[in-house]
Amino acid sequence: MKCQLCKKNAILKSPRLCEDHFIEYFERKIGKFIEKYHLKNKKLLIAISGGKDSVVVGYVLSKLQEKYNLSLEYFFIRLGIPFFTEKSEEIVKKVTQEIGYPLTIYDLKEEEGFVIPDIKYKPCSYCGMTRRYILNKYAYENKFDYVVMGHNLDDEVFFAFNNLFGKNISQIQRTGPLTETNFEKKLIGRVKPLYYLAEEEILLYAKLKNLPYIGCACPNSMESTQKKFKTKTEFTRDQKLNFIYSILEIKKFLPEETVEIKFCEKCGFPTTSNICKFCRTKEKILTGTLGKKMK
Ligand code: FES
Ligand code: ZN
Ligand code: ZN
């Protein structure tokens, strides 16, 4: 099987490219994303966890920094998960040192008084909410234009399917490669430069570039629905892309979400109730009452 652009051997079936042309294609796709979503000259906060996706997106953005005049900062949250957090931090430090960009480490215990293992009820979902809250808060306080997330095509396909299976049509509205920033509402938008790239392509890029990343999953996510979905469904890259393009088309016909945004009485960040979910959860974690009513 030969590369579609030269005579060398192809390393991937779709797109059928050799090593050099694959790297070129991969980086060009992220460059196109920057152009399409007007990220040129923007100040970006890169949420880096040490997983392959955030390492790859962080690395490629550092390569494209000059071309697009990006202002970059890397942000790692020390979640306090034994072994997993230490290992991830090691990798993140190594990567950011190599590419020479500033890294901010946010220590959950020091800043908020708890660690993820203190959450005994639905840890993954509360961990996700906590991370989103912290990223938005830090990005807002430090005037970033966007937070960069490492979500890839496979994550987005799963997210959309999961919401369709659960009849959560309104959640579909929230999906997409970019959400807008609204400084007045203290909401910093999120961008996903790997949105159109499949997991297989990201793994291949990391391998070819010899990028370190944490090989094991977070111990809390071992049995996640996403993992089961991924192992049970086989789609080609083109099918995944078509699916996600269809979802983006469908989105145009969905009504805009009209939720009234207030500001949390405790922390001042956006919420739909008087006290935001993060503040309510934090209080419950610190008093050991999270999930108690549900039993
Ligand atoms: Fe948050 Fe796994 S990384 S629970
Ligand atoms: Zn080639
Ligand atoms: Zn709050």
Side-chain angles (χ1 to χ4, degrees):
M1 190 173 67
K2 296 279 175 220
C3 169
Q4 62 200 50
L5 299 174
C6 72
K7 289 197 176 88
K8 285 198 208 141
N9 283 338
I11 49 164
L12 200 66
K13 245 207 254 159
S14 164
R16 196 164 38 79
L17 296 171
C18 68
E19 199 172 312
D20 293 341
H21 281 120
F22 171 75
I23 289 172
E24 226 178 85
Y25 144 89
F26 192 92
E27 294 171 1
R28 198 177 50 239
K29 244 186 141 174
I30 297 187
K32 284 254 151 46
F33 187 98
I34 295 173
E35 287 165 19
K36 183 169 177 189
Y37 296 102
H38 312 289
L39 302 180
K40 208 175 167 187
N41 307 323
K42 296 286 188 238
K43 187 177 172 186
L44 306 176
L45 183 67
I46 303 169
I48 185 159
S49 66
K52 63 173 189 329
D53 301 311
S54 65
V55 165
V56 166
V57 78
Y59 175 81
V60 179
L61 287 180
S62 76
K63 283 190 83 178
L64 299 175
Q65 185 269 335
E66 230 178 86
K67 182 171 179 195
Y68 294 105
N69 190 32
L70 306 169
S71 165
L72 306 174
E73 182 178 320
Y74 293 75
F75 191 82
F76 174 77
I77 307 177
R78 197 180 275 145
L79 298 168
I81 302 169
F83 180 74
F84 181 70
T85 296
E86 288 108 64
K87 200 78 205 125
S88 312
E89 188 172 331
E90 226 173 82
I91 287 164
V92 166
K93 281 183 176 160
K94 198 171 164 207
V95 174
T96 47
Q97 262 159 24
E98 247 166 59
I99 57 182
Y101 279 90
L103 169 71
T104 297
I105 296 184
Y106 189 95
D107 190 294
L108 195 57
K109 182 78 183 173
E110 264 170 38
E111 304 287 341
E112 309 294 344
F114 67 92
V115 284
I116 298 304
D118 293 337
I119 308 176
K120 306 289 180 220
Y121 178 74
K122 292 189 180 174
C124 276
S125 114
Y126 285 110
C127 171
M129 183 272 294
T130 299
R131 284 183 287 144
R132 279 193 299 277
Y133 174 86
I134 291 169
L135 282 165
N136 181 63
K137 187 172 164 211
Y138 183 86
Y140 173 76
E141 286 171 347
N142 295 283
K143 300 193 171 54
F144 280 89
D145 293 304
Y146 291 103
V147 174
V148 174
M149 308 300 294
H151 297 97
N152 63 40
L153 180 61
D154 293 64
D155 297 327
E156 296 299 315
V157 168
F158 166 75
F159 183 78
F161 261 114
N162 207 25
N163 283 311
L164 290 175
F165 289 153
K167 286 208 288 187
N168 283 328
I169 301 295
S170 65
Q171 283 290 331
I172 299 281
Q173 188 58 276
R174 295 194 190 165
T175 180
L178 174 139
T179 55
E180 289 301 343
T181 291
N182 187 330
F183 275 108
E184 268 164 40
K185 290 186 178 162
K186 296 190 187 178
L187 281 171
I188 304 301
R190 303 180 344 143
V191 285
K192 302 170 184 168
L194 302 180
Y195 191 85
Y196 301 104
L197 286 157
E199 187 160 282
E200 188 191 2
E201 298 174 285
I202 295 159
L203 279 167
L204 185 57
Y205 184 87
K207 193 174 146 210
L208 295 175
K209 287 285 177 184
N210 227 344
L211 294 174
Y213 61 87
I214 184 145
C216 58
C218 158
N220 294 327
S221 69
M222 286 310 218
E223 282 311 307
S224 76
T225 334
Q226 182 164 4
K227 217 171 152 200
K228 283 183 211 149
F229 178 83
K230 278 184 180 173
T231 48
K232 286 189 180 153
T233 39
E234 272 295 328
F235 297 118
T236 64
R237 181 192 72 126
D238 291 349
Q239 284 171 327
K240 289 182 220 171
L241 275 172
N242 286 342
F243 178 71
I244 225 66
Y245 286 133
S246 306
I247 290 288
L248 292 178
E249 280 302 310
I250 292 169
K251 251 184 83 170
K252 293 180 189 161
F253 299 98
L254 294 176
E256 288 284 331
E257 269 191 303
T258 48
V259 278
E260 197 206 332
I261 297 284
K262 303 184 205 170
F263 294 105
C264 171
E265 287 170 9
K266 285 201 169 180
C267 69
F269 275 86
T271 175
T272 47
S273 49
N274 295 336
I275 302 203
C276 77
K277 194 169 178 195
F278 176 76
C279 287
R280 279 184 279 138
T281 308
K282 181 175 156 179
E283 167 126 25
K284 287 184 188 164
I285 297 169
L286 297 178
T287 53
T289 53
L290 187 66
K292 284 271 154 74
K293 263 188 284 170
M294 312 296 287
K295 280 184 182 171

